[in-house]
Amino acid sequence: MKSIKSLCREYHSIKDNITEIKNQLHAIKNSYKAEKQSIARKTKLIKLLEKQTNEIINQLKTIIAKDRKLSEKIEKVTTAKGLGFITVVSVLAETVLVQRELDFYLI
């Protein structure tokens, strides 16, 4: 379950990077005589990072699918409005799954 936690953290880190680069891209586009090559590089980088986030989501889904009980719980919770897959998995990874690991070692 530690891998789920690290994947969630990696996902959020990449999403933060995407936001940062989008802000830079906005600044470049609105600057005087914006460099077209800089815009192209930033756009390409954003696409790459978004591809990586999709890969992480797919990897998380694969890992979670192996645990039927966990998978069913996540499916139920994500039916609530505003709770997406990543949100639910991230919260579980940082709270419940850690407790489950502690319980395992304490027994």
Side-chain angles (χ1 to χ4, degrees), residues 23-106:
N23 290 338
Q24 292 171 359
L25 181 60
H26 175 76
I28 292 169
K29 284 182 176 179
N30 292 299
S31 65
Y32 179 71
K33 292 187 179 180
E35 282 290 325
K36 292 184 189 229
Q37 291 175 335
S38 293
I39 293 171
R41 279 191 298 273
K42 296 283 183 191
T43 304
K44 199 174 186 179
L45 182 55
I46 291 168
K47 287 179 183 177
L48 171 68
L49 292 173
E50 287 174 346
K51 183 179 176 188
Q52 288 179 345
T53 59
N54 289 333
E55 289 173 3
I56 291 170
I57 290 170
N58 290 335
Q59 190 175 358
L60 282 167
K61 287 181 178 180
T62 302
I63 293 169
I64 290 168
K66 292 177 184 175
D67 186 340
R68 188 181 56 80
K69 199 173 186 180
L70 178 61
S71 180
E72 288 173 358
K73 286 182 181 183
I74 290 172
E75 282 182 39
K76 286 180 185 176
V77 175
T78 56
T79 59
K81 187 175 181 178
L83 293 176
F85 176 77
I86 284 293
T87 303
V88 173
V89 172
S90 295
V91 170
L92 287 173
E94 295 294 337
T95 57
V96 177
L97 295 178
V98 172
Q99 184 61 44
R100 197 159 100 179
E101 286 179 10
L102 288 174
D103 291 344
F104 175 77
Y105 289 113
L106 293 175

Side-chain angles (χ1 to χ4, degrees), residues 8-24:
C8 287
R9 288 181 176 180
E10 181 183 0
Y11 173 86
H12 290 294
S13 175
I14 292 172
K15 289 299 274 188
D16 289 343
N17 289 339
I18 290 171
T19 301
E20 184 180 328
I21 294 165
K22 282 183 177 181
N23 290 338
Q24 292 171 359

